Amino acid sequence: MQYPEPIARLIASYMNLPGIGQKTATRLAFYTIDMKDETVNDFAKSLLSVKRDLTYCSVCGNITEDDPCEICADTSRDRSVILVVEEPKDVMALEKMKEYQGLYHVLHGVLSPMEGTGPEDINIPSLIKRLENEEAGEVIIATNASTEGEATAMYISRLIKPAGIKVTRLAHGLSVGSDIEYADEITLSKAVEGRTEI
Amino acid sequence: MQYPEPIARLIASYMNLPGIGQKTATRLAFYTIDMKDETVNDFAKSLLSVKRDLTYCSVCGNITEDDPCEICADTSRDRSVILVVEEPKDVMALEKMKEYQGLYHVLHGVLSPMEGTGPEDINIPSLIKRLENEEAGEVIIATNASTEGEATAMYISRLIKPAGIKVTRLAHGLSVGSDIEYADEITLSKAVEGRTEI
């Protein structure tokens, strides 16, 4: 005996999500059957809505309902600084800080020769074009501190420095509140390298 | 800055699922944005479909597209045995075995004084009614080997034994292929208790 068709299809749909295997998908599908009609309707609607109502900002590549996005359209922001991140989630994280007043550029990935991701596959060409047209004096590169993130930062830096634009990278070091004892060696060596006078 | 409304709503929807918190929900929502239109449409459709196209069998309480369900409607099955399980998932697990030819009864829960679940809250009354009308000679109780599962088995047994119906319980013992060394004490004591002559 197979699962009834509607459950089997829902299990298959849940299994399309990352980190969800057969067992979890089955559990979620049976849980869904017992959820309120309204909750499931809202769920289905919000799934369709993210595909229909969201788009990428034609300027910075961030995810948005309106093009250009809220940040690019905000004339009160400092247009001389562009902060480059890997993913839209990073923009949200940085905006939570409420201190940065410049603009963003979302790459949607990093350079990865292993996975065949070259500069044309991520938003690097649009960044270069943007720098040619806009009056940005500084580019802050905030890719993650992974091998690919570092390589992408180096690549972008070499590409735009000749144009006389200041290129900076977010500081790496110990997290605030963390113990030296538990820090990994790379973080520690970055922390020593980037030490400041007090 | 907040997440755009459509993402925020999808994150909230994912968070309604069991075991999915804010971080996982956010990851799933951003993953959904990058999924194919078709896949997301199918997902939304299958969500609505499980609520619309599935119902509980009026005879055994199993989840089904047609009422009565495939098993209850199958005249080739042995109508003298009813196997009582906690959840529809258990029916699927037992059917995979392909050996049992009798009928089922799905309780949709277990008795739990701690959570206020009494006999009227699960499918016990419908089981009693069914036994009054049908010619079942044996009831196999296959609730889980938890405290609540055992208590539910005892409760049902005391209720229907006086009517002269044979009541049995699935055997508990060592899993096939498992090591005695790693078995818990309760399983071991059940295995000794239920030993068979060879």
Side-chain angles (χ1 to χ4, degrees), chain A residues 49 53-56 62-70, chain B residues 3-7 9:
Chain A
S49 161
D53 303 333
L54 288 179
T55 180
Y56 294 116
N62 193 10
I63 213 135
T64 176
E65 282 184 277
D66 311 302
D67 186 18
C69 73
E70 212 180 308
Chain B
Y3 286 109
E5 179 65 18
I7 307 187
R9 261 184 292 137

Side-chain angles (χ1 to χ4, degrees), chain A residues 33-35 37 51 56, chain B residues 33-35 37 41 51 56:
Chain A
I33 298 170
D34 294 330
M35 274 161 74
D37 273 355
K51 293 301 286 183
Y56 294 116
Chain B
I33 297 170
D34 295 330
M35 275 162 74
D37 273 355
N41 282 343
K51 293 301 286 184
Y56 294 116

Side-chain angles (χ1 to χ4, degrees), chain B residues 6-60:
Chain B
I7 307 187
R9 261 184 292 137
L10 184 57
I11 294 174
S13 283
Y14 275 127
M15 282 176 70
N16 285 328
L17 297 173
I20 293 184
Q22 174 104 46
K23 291 226 165 174
T24 310
T26 307
R27 192 166 55 90
L28 294 178
F30 275 97
Y31 186 89
T32 309
I33 297 170
D34 295 330
M35 275 162 74
K36 281 190 199 145
D37 273 355
E38 204 188 302
T39 315
V40 176
N41 282 343
D42 283 351
F43 190 2
K45 266 190 235 160
S46 56
L47 276 170
L48 298 173
S49 162
V50 291
K51 293 301 286 184
R52 194 187 50 218
D53 302 333
L54 289 178
T55 179
Y56 294 116
C57 173
S58 59
V59 181
C60 71

